[in-house]
Amino acid sequence: MNVKTFLSALLVTFFSIQSYEFSGTHFFASYKECDSEALNRIEELKKVFKDAVGKSGATILKYDFFDFSKESTTGTFILSESHASIHTYPEHKACFVDLFTCGDHCLWKPFHKTLKAYLKPKIVDKKVVIRS
């Protein structure tokens, strides 16, 4: 086992035994009239989305993307704290995103800020729901 694998396993173990309050924050948004080039550069968009999830303070356990075409993708992230997802609609210059995290140590604002900076949407419909 290499050091990176060992540290990853150690973090997963730590976060899986860490307890969370039965509450969470669910951020979801529709980004509309996005920069077409940003939406169409799927590999770069995937990196930006992963970075945005990391900036929220969440711990990524696993993630996967499915590309419908060279320009359209959907991605889901399983987090120690819950989940995140993105669904792109380049034909509409839009995408849907969400980030749900249990407890109170993750922040949705850095996630949102990172995605907005990359996608440059002219219209943002967002909502934050505190779940308990």
Side-chain angles (χ1 to χ4, degrees), residues 5-101:
T5 304
F6 172 76
L7 290 175
S8 294
L10 185 62
L11 280 173
V12 168
T13 301
F14 171 77
F15 282 104
S16 65
I17 61 173
Q18 181 180 355
S19 64
Y20 294 101
E21 291 183 38
F22 187 69
S23 68
T25 303
H26 200 162
F27 166 79
F28 45 100
S30 302
Y31 297 130
K32 301 173 186 174
E33 295 185 33
C34 295
D35 176 341
S36 292
E37 290 299 312
L39 276 175
N40 290 332
R41 290 188 302 263
I42 289 182
E43 293 308 313
E44 188 173 343
L45 176 59
K46 291 175 183 179
K47 290 176 187 171
V48 170
F49 192 78
K50 183 178 179 187
D51 183 50
V53 172
K55 287 181 178 178
S56 76
T59 304
I60 299 169
L61 300 177
K62 191 177 212 182
Y63 64 94
D64 197 15
F65 285 90
F66 179 82
D67 299 339
F68 293 98
S69 66
K70 288 192 278 186
E71 295 90 23
S72 180
T73 192
T74 187
T76 57
F77 282 59
I78 298 172
L79 309 174
S80 177
E81 301 79 7
S82 194
H83 71 273
S85 67
I86 183 168
H87 306 278
T88 67
Y89 297 85
E91 68 275 18
H92 299 288
K93 296 173 60 174
C95 66
F96 296 118
V97 301
D98 85 314
L99 173 70
F100 177 59
T101 56

